Amino acid sequence: MKKVLILVLSANFPPYYKMRRTSERTWNSIKVEDVETVFYFGNPLPLPQEEGCLYLNIDEGYNNLGKKTLMAFEWALKNKEFDYIARVNSSTYVDKKELLNYVQGLPEDKVFAGLKVIATPPWMWGPAFIISKDKVRNLVGLKNHLDASLMEDMGISFLMNSLNCPYIQGKLVSIDKLSTGWQAICYGGGESFNFTDWEDIKKTKGQFFFRVKCDADRNIDEFVMNQLFKHLK
């Protein structure tokens, strides 16, 4: 069975820390063999430090996000056993069982899977993407070539472009708040739909990443994660 390490891009200050707590109470409370989750943070470092968290000696900030991710990748290569890293944002809900099922069908190497942004050059959209261990190793080797002026997802993607790694169509559902309810935009499988009853979210079976970024203070995001947990677990 292939193994997945989920690395969650996190921060230790409001409102982002709320999403880490919510993730722990919801999707990450479900234990799945061969799937491990680590939340990674920059400075300031909390005391005491918590299990399941990686604290990196780098200041938080948009221009440091790519560096922070590559530091987490380098740590993972030295300390964890995995076949793929799933790098997700703190505002992404993960169905770990479906994720594990999905990676069993991926090639063993040269994997960069997610939602490709059609641009020149292309890049992988930031809520979530999957990278095979060989490409994680390549990225770490290129860490000094990262363009830190770019957002993390673009910077990582441009390094992957330099490796001539093909993009693999991934899966993701974006949950958006509407004035009359909710919208589930399904990428990579299934039909998008509007809904008011959260039971309808079961129509997304086979999906494993859910983008829940709806509000700046993350109160709606917390509500959405709780609803997904209630109806998908």
Side-chain angles (χ1 to χ4, degrees):
M1 182 71 73
K2 297 176 182 177
K3 298 179 183 293
V4 183
L5 174 63
I6 302 172
L7 291 180
V8 186
L9 178 59
S10 308
N12 265 320
F13 50 85
Y16 307 105
Y17 200 69
K18 177 190 300 182
M19 299 313 298
R20 184 249 160 162
R21 292 298 189 197
T22 305
S23 296
E24 290 282 31
R25 290 196 306 268
T26 58
W27 62 265
N28 201 43
S29 69
I30 300 172
K31 305 305 177 186
V32 176
E33 189 175 359
D34 297 317
V35 180
E36 183 178 1
T37 303
V38 174
F39 297 82
Y40 65 101
F41 303 85
N43 293 321
L45 305 183
L47 294 174
Q49 298 183 358
E50 298 182 57
E51 185 178 356
C53 295
L54 170 62
Y55 301 102
L56 299 166
N57 188 22
I58 185 170
D59 292 339
E60 298 286 9
Y62 285 116
N63 288 341
N64 279 343
L65 291 180
K67 294 178 183 178
K68 186 169 82 167
T69 292
L70 291 180
M71 289 174 69
F73 285 1
E74 186 169 15
W75 172 87
L77 288 170
K78 295 175 180 177
N79 294 279
K80 295 295 180 180
E81 290 294 328
F82 63 90
D83 297 292
Y84 309 95
I85 283 179
R87 202 290 281 135
V88 306
N89 279 346
S90 59
S91 55
T92 300
Y93 182 101
V94 184
D95 186 324
K96 294 195 286 188
K97 292 179 182 178
E98 293 289 357
L99 172 61
L100 186 63
N101 288 337
Y102 172 77
V103 302
Q104 303 312 311
L106 290 176
E108 293 185 0
D109 55 17
K110 298 181 181 178
V111 170
F112 188 31
L115 301 185
K116 180 179 179 180
V117 177
I118 305 301
T120 306
W123 48 284
M124 201 72 86
W125 193 29
F129 46 77
I130 299 169
I131 304 177
S132 55
K133 188 172 187 177
D134 63 308
K135 291 304 168 188
V136 172
R137 190 176 291 110
N138 291 159
L139 285 172
V140 170
L142 290 173
K143 64 183 179 181
N144 293 331
H145 297 277
L146 176 75
D147 186 345
S149 70
L150 300 173
M151 287 298 293
E152 180 248 18
D153 50 1
M154 294 182 69
I156 297 294
S157 296
F158 291 173
L159 288 182
M160 291 294 282
N161 293 345
S162 73
L163 295 168
N164 296 314
C165 186
Y167 287 46
I168 296 175
Q169 173 66 49
K171 293 185 176 185
L172 182 139
V173 179
S174 181
I175 307 294
D176 299 322
K177 183 76 174 71
L178 304 177
S179 60
T180 56
W182 303 89
Q183 182 179 47
I185 304 175
C186 299
Y187 299 93
E191 297 292 329
S192 301
F193 57 94
N194 295 352
F195 64 99
T196 56
D197 186 347
W198 279 94
E199 273 292 300
D200 290 343
I201 204 65
K202 293 178 179 177
K203 296 177 183 178
T204 63
K205 184 171 177 58
Q207 292 277 359
F208 42 84
F209 292 143
F210 296 81
R211 178 182 181 268
V212 304
K213 191 174 181 180
C214 296
D215 63 336
D217 63 10
R218 306 307 173 100
N219 289 329
I220 297 176
D221 301 356
E222 183 178 24
F223 170 81
V224 173
M225 276 201 180
N226 286 330
Q227 291 299 313
L228 290 171
F229 179 64
K230 178 180 179 181
H231 295 279
L232 292 179
K233 66 178 180 178

